[in-house]
Amino acid sequence: MSDFTKIPMKTPLVEMDGDEMTRIIWKMIKDILLTPYVDLKTEYYDLGLEHREATKDQVTIDSAEATKKYGVAVKCATITPNAARVKEYNLTEMWKSPNGTIRAILDGTVFRTPILLKGITPYIPTWTKPITIARHAYGDLYKNVEMRVPENAKAELVVTKADGTEERVTIHEFKTPGVIQGLHNIDKSIESFARSCFNYALSMKQDLWFAAKDTISKTYDHRFKDIFQEIYDAEYKEKFEKVGIEYFYTLIDDAIARVIRSEGGYIWACKNYDGDVMSDMIATAYGSLAMMTSVLVSPDGVYEYEAAHGTVQRHYYKYLKGETTSTNSVATLFAWTGALRKRGALEALNRPCEVEVHSDSQYVVNAFNKHWIDGWKKRGWKTANKQPVKNRDLWERLLTAKSKHKVEFIWVKGHAGHELNERCDRLAKREAMHYR
């Protein structure tokens, strides 16, 4: 091992440490699996509850701003304190959800997809493909304001316009004490959410559903519905039809019924709270909350990877007592590998590179080395026999990917012991298992 060279890393990613058992796992993953093999460069932020208290939660804001700067972040699970946690940690304030704060700053969409493994069977027998939850990551319950209301009080919704005029709606006249909360969202964020979902569906070539409750929420939820439809009709309808996928809106009640009867293999877009709840339901039904990936994608192309589960409090207290625990670390591992993969991909794509592509397909290699593809393009994506070129969309994606790089295509004989070719076979077989 004396001549072993760590995998180099040029640009840092943002590392957000967390709480309890996931913080313990976080350190183990770094110490055992990452730092011995990767020249790991991170900009570190401690989002543990004690440090959030010490900084009055400024560290959470700083970590989000750093993510906008570097483009990629990986986050450990964190505590969102309730009354019991305020007492346990002697907090001066019941700090808001770090995820809520970060998502509001990045204004992204959270895509959560179950990790499918042979031997872990979903509780819904028909689910043979993963269901991805696309969760709007701004506003609603996670950016709310709320207060207790005394008896004999009147609560109003008041909008003060730029010209100073007011629009008022009575919410409720309280004869007895109660509670009230205010939710909001903004068109710009909903538009970003819609476009993120449409683009992700196109990249995955999967149908997209959007579900809300516009029959009851005739202004708030209906605004989401209208924006999705307007953007789809104006910008994405032809693209969806071209690749043979579908977008539709349905009531969330109907969506749940459809989901239970489906085989999976689509993207289900939800408002913020709906996505929070439904992603937990989907993860549990597929086998475990610890077996679900989560990535926040902003409209500016910023990515934040994390596990979809919490801090595993019960295991942490057992760990502190010296008792044996068996915490599932798979989702946290996927967060790290996802972030590192994205960091590497962005570095490669941001500068011209000399690339060797090894393939056991003579057709792919000859298409470039013998310039077949140039003839196809001149003939409007027709072969020399005037037949449509198969998989045109994949050829176009490959052309786009290689456009700024110097690429050499090299043929290798398949199933002949070539290390990377054998690895590709293993990866392809593993992915194919998801769709059987």
Side-chain angles (χ1 to χ4, degrees):
M1 293 292 289
S2 58
D3 59 347
F4 175 77
T5 302
K6 290 185 179 183
I7 299 169
M9 185 173 175
K10 182 179 178 181
T11 308
L13 56 78
V14 175
E15 176 188 352
M16 306 176 189
D17 211 344
D19 289 298
E20 297 186 324
M21 199 65 210
T22 45
R23 188 182 182 99
I24 304 300
I25 291 173
W26 194 262
K27 186 177 186 304
M28 293 173 68
I29 289 172
K30 287 179 64 179
D31 291 348
I32 299 171
L33 299 176
L34 295 180
T35 53
Y37 308 103
V38 179
D39 182 23
L40 191 64
K41 290 182 172 62
T42 70
E43 184 160 312
Y44 178 86
Y45 293 87
D46 183 0
L47 266 57
L49 189 51
E50 294 97 334
H51 193 60
R52 278 183 277 147
E53 166 69 17
T55 64
K56 304 303 181 188
D57 209 30
Q58 182 62 40
V59 66
T60 305
I61 297 169
D62 292 344
S63 70
E65 294 297 337
T67 301
K68 292 169 70 175
K69 174 182 177 181
Y70 289 104
V72 181
V74 58
K75 180 182 174 296
C76 183
T78 48
I79 295 170
T80 299
N82 56 16
R85 294 294 206 168
V86 169
K87 184 177 180 181
E88 178 183 356
Y89 283 87
N90 194 29
L91 304 179
T92 57
E93 188 174 328
M94 194 182 296
W95 303 109
K96 287 185 175 289
S97 160
N99 286 340
T101 300
I102 293 166
R103 291 166 188 163
I105 292 172
L106 299 183
D107 185 24
T109 298
V110 178
F111 295 96
R112 288 183 170 176
T113 307
I115 301 165
L116 302 189
L117 294 177
K118 189 176 181 180
I120 300 179
T121 304
Y123 288 99
I124 309 297
T126 58
W127 288 359
T128 58
K129 302 174 184 178
I131 299 170
T132 296
I133 295 290
R135 174 186 172 188
H136 188 207
Y138 177 83
D140 297 350
L141 188 63
Y142 303 84
K143 200 70 175 173
N144 75 332
V145 291
E146 53 189 25
M147 61 190 300
R148 295 182 64 178
V149 182
E151 63 181 347
N152 298 319
K154 179 181 179 180
E156 293 182 308
L157 194 61
V158 181
V159 174
T160 305
K161 301 178 183 179
D163 62 3
T165 60
E166 294 182 345
E167 187 174 345
R168 293 173 174 267
V169 178
T170 299
I171 299 171
H172 188 68
E173 295 189 6
F174 288 82
K175 304 303 180 185
T176 60
V179 291
I180 189 172
Q181 68 173 344
L183 307 181
H184 82 279
N185 229 294
I186 55 177
D187 285 3
K188 181 181 177 182
S189 182
I190 301 170
E191 290 164 3
S192 296
F193 173 42
R195 289 191 176 94
S196 293
C197 292
F198 291 132
N199 287 330
Y200 194 79
L202 286 169
S203 71
M204 299 299 292
K205 291 185 170 54
Q206 291 182 334
D207 290 347
L208 173 66
W209 308 3
F210 176 55
K213 192 71 171 177
D214 66 294
T215 52
I216 302 299
S217 179
K218 297 182 184 296
T219 299
Y220 197 101
D221 280 24
H222 212 295
R223 187 63 183 145
F224 277 80
K225 176 185 176 182
D226 289 345
I227 287 175
F228 262 75
Q229 194 64 51
E230 289 164 7
I231 290 176
Y232 174 72
D233 290 340
E235 302 175 26
Y236 292 95
K237 189 174 187 292
E238 290 184 5
K239 295 176 183 178
F240 270 52
E241 291 172 350
K242 183 177 179 181
V243 299
I245 59 176
E246 179 185 15
Y247 163 71
F248 68 87
Y249 170 83
T250 186
L251 289 173
I252 195 163
D253 321 55
D254 179 57
I256 292 170
R258 287 172 180 257
V259 165
I260 297 301
R261 295 193 302 266
S262 76
E263 65 175 8
Y266 50 83
I267 299 159
W268 178 10
C270 299
K271 290 165 56 233
N272 207 342
Y273 178 71
D274 296 341
D276 191 1
V277 174
M278 294 306 164
S279 65
D280 284 358
M281 183 273 285
I282 292 290
T284 302
Y286 271 101
S288 170
L289 273 171
M291 299 293 288
M292 195 163 201
T293 64
S294 181
V295 56
L296 173 71
V297 183
S298 84
D300 299 323
V302 173
Y303 295 79
E304 183 230 14
Y305 294 80
E306 61 180 321
H309 58 73
T311 59
V312 201
Q313 178 185 12
R314 182 171 59 87
H315 285 196
Y316 180 60
Y317 290 152
K318 291 179 68 176
Y319 170 83
L320 292 179
K321 295 176 183 177
E323 299 177 12
T324 302
T325 64
S326 58
T327 310
N328 189 334
S329 60
V330 170
T332 306
L333 282 165
F334 266 68
W336 267 109
T337 55
L340 289 169
R341 183 171 60 248
K342 178 56 67 175
R343 175 80 287 157
L346 291 177
E347 283 190 7
L349 292 172
N350 284 336
R351 65 181 191 278
C353 299
E354 293 186 4
V355 181
E356 288 185 356
V357 175
H358 296 254
S359 174
D360 61 7
S361 168
Q362 290 188 357
Y363 188 69
V364 170
V365 172
N366 289 338
F368 289 95
N369 290 350
K370 295 186 177 182
H371 306 290
W372 295 350
I373 198 166
D374 297 329
W376 298 344
K377 290 170 63 181
K378 288 178 181 178
R379 290 186 291 270
W381 288 97
K382 298 286 182 63
T383 66
N385 296 328
K386 299 183 179 179
Q387 298 299 311
V389 175
K390 295 181 179 179
N391 301 312
R392 172 182 169 177
D393 59 320
L394 298 180
W395 289 110
E396 289 179 325
R397 287 171 63 187
L398 184 52
L399 281 171
T400 301
K402 70 180 283 295
S403 61
K404 67 171 64 175
H405 308 295
K406 182 180 179 181
V407 182
E408 180 183 4
F409 289 85
I410 302 170
W411 178 77
V412 297
K413 185 176 181 180
H415 309 292
H418 188 282
E419 180 184 355
L420 295 180
N421 183 253
E422 295 296 325
R423 183 184 178 195
C424 286
D425 281 346
R426 290 194 299 271
L427 291 171
K429 290 175 181 176
R430 188 183 71 186
E431 289 301 309
M433 291 295 294
H434 296 172
Y435 302 99
R436 289 183 177 176

